[in-house]
Amino acid sequence: QREALMAAELGHVPDAPGRETEPIEDFCAGLPTRYFEQVPPERVHAHYRLWRQALKTDEATLAIAPLTSDAVDPATGEDTDGRAEITVILPDRPGLLADISGALAATGLDVVAAELHGLPDGHVLDRFQVQDPHRRLASPARQAAVIASVTTALGDPEWTARRLAERRTSTLQAELPPVPATVRIANDVATEHTVVDVSAGDRPGLLRDLAGAFRDSGLTVSLALVNTEGRIARDSFYVVDAEGQKVASQDLAALVARVKAAANGDAAGV
C-alpha cells in the first residue's frame, strides 16, 4: 500500500527514502494495519491528499465517496452498495467523535459504520459509512451541500442539538417501541484499551450521545466499530483515560451506568 501510494503521488517508487517520501512515510506510519486491509489504494491516495490539504488549515476537511457493490463492510461482510463513505480530517480535540457524529446526524445522515484513526501530527482521520440507498451522494452538487452543512454543524452545537431533537420526534421514531440497551466492558480483551460493547435501539444521534458519555467520563475513543442491523446498533469502543491508560477497575461501574443512560436516551441533554 505504501508503494502504491508513492507510485500514485510521485509517479514512481523511489529506491530509497528521501525528502519527497517523508510526508507519505509520516502518513502511513500513523495508520494501523487494519486501515490498509480495508481501504483500496485509490482511496488511500485520496485520504493522503485530503490530509495534505488539512495540514494547511485548522478547519475540518471532508470528502465523500459513494461505495460500490464490490466493497464489503469489514465488520459484517455485508455488501456496502447503497452506502457512502464520509472522511473527515481535522485536528484532534476532546469530544471530537461526538461532534462529528452529531453533525452528520443533524444533517440527516445515518451512520452505520465508523473507524477512527489518529495521525502523528495531531490530526485524526475518521471514516463514516452512511446510508445512501438512492445514491444521492454520488452527485457532486449534493456532496458539496452535505460538506457545507456538516462543516456548519461542527461550528454550531446549538443548531446541531435543535436538528437532532426534530429528527428524534418524528412520527416514525415516536411509534417504535424502545429497545433497552445493554453495555459490557472488558479490560482483558485489548492490550492497551478498555473495550466497551453497546447494544441499543438505533436512533438519530445515538453515536453522538455514546461518544458524549465517554467525553464526559474523561475518556478518549481511539477506535469505534459501529454496526447497525435493522433497528439495533451494536457498537464497540476502544477507550483510554487522560493518561492513556485503561479505565481503572473502580470506575467501570460508573462508566457502564453513564453509557447505558446515553444509549437509552436518559443522559442530560438527550
Side-chain angles (χ1 to χ4, degrees):
Q1 284 278 27
R2 183 181 289 105
E3 290 184 354
L5 178 56
M6 289 181 182
E9 179 66 16
L10 305 176
H12 68 289
V13 179
D15 294 331
R19 185 177 299 275
E20 64 179 349
T21 68
E22 287 177 359
I24 295 173
E25 296 288 352
D26 289 344
F27 177 79
C28 292
L31 294 165
T33 301
R34 178 183 178 87
Y35 169 86
F36 294 103
E37 292 174 342
Q38 295 176 1
V39 183
E42 64 273 12
R43 274 200 286 136
V44 172
H45 187 211
H47 292 166
Y48 172 76
R49 300 299 296 170
L50 195 67
W51 172 66
R52 294 298 299 272
Q53 180 183 343
L55 293 178
K56 302 174 183 178
T57 176
D58 289 333
E59 299 179 354
T61 307
L62 294 86
I64 299 176
L67 299 177
T68 58
S69 58
D70 59 353
V72 174
D73 186 329
T76 65
E78 295 177 351
D79 192 322
T80 58
D81 194 23
R83 298 183 186 181
E85 181 177 90
I86 298 181
T87 303
V88 185
I89 300 180
L90 74 171
D92 197 7
R93 65 172 187 264
L96 189 57
L97 176 60
D99 294 342
I100 297 175
S101 55
L104 293 173
T107 308
L109 300 171
D110 294 318
V111 177
V112 294
E115 293 263 356
L116 316 177
H117 309 289
L119 295 172
D121 65 329
H123 281 70
V124 293
L125 188 160
D126 294 349
R127 300 184 294 126
F128 299 86
Q129 285 187 21
V130 299
Q131 296 282 17
D132 185 31
H134 303 295
R135 298 188 65 77
R136 294 189 178 95
L137 292 177
S139 161
R142 178 59 177 157
Q143 290 182 17
V146 167
I147 289 173
S149 294
V150 172
T151 302
T152 298
L154 281 170
D156 190 346
E158 293 183 359
W159 180 86
T160 298
R162 288 196 302 272
R163 286 289 296 120
L164 285 175
E166 292 170 3
R167 292 195 68 196
R168 286 171 179 156
T169 54
S170 68
T171 302
L172 177 61
Q173 289 290 322
E175 291 177 352
L176 294 175
V179 178
T182 61
V183 179
R184 295 185 301 172
I185 295 184
N187 264 338
D188 57 356
V189 172
T191 304
E192 300 177 347
H193 296 81
T194 295
V195 180
V196 183
D197 294 320
V198 183
S199 176
D202 193 28
R203 56 178 166 77
L206 173 63
L207 182 57
R208 167 186 178 258
D209 294 336
L210 294 175
F214 295 121
R215 176 201 60 212
D216 295 342
S217 300
L219 303 176
T220 296
V221 178
S222 301
L223 174 65
L225 304 178
V226 178
N227 180 42
T228 303
E229 303 172 355
R231 288 187 56 218
I232 306 299
R234 304 184 191 280
D235 305 340
S236 296
F237 301 89
Y238 289 65
V239 302
V240 293
D241 64 16
E243 283 72 43
Q245 304 298 315
K246 295 182 179 183
V247 180
S249 299
Q250 64 268 24
D251 297 329
L252 293 179
L255 179 59
V256 168
R258 188 183 292 245
V259 172
K260 183 176 290 187
N264 285 326
D266 299 330
V270 176

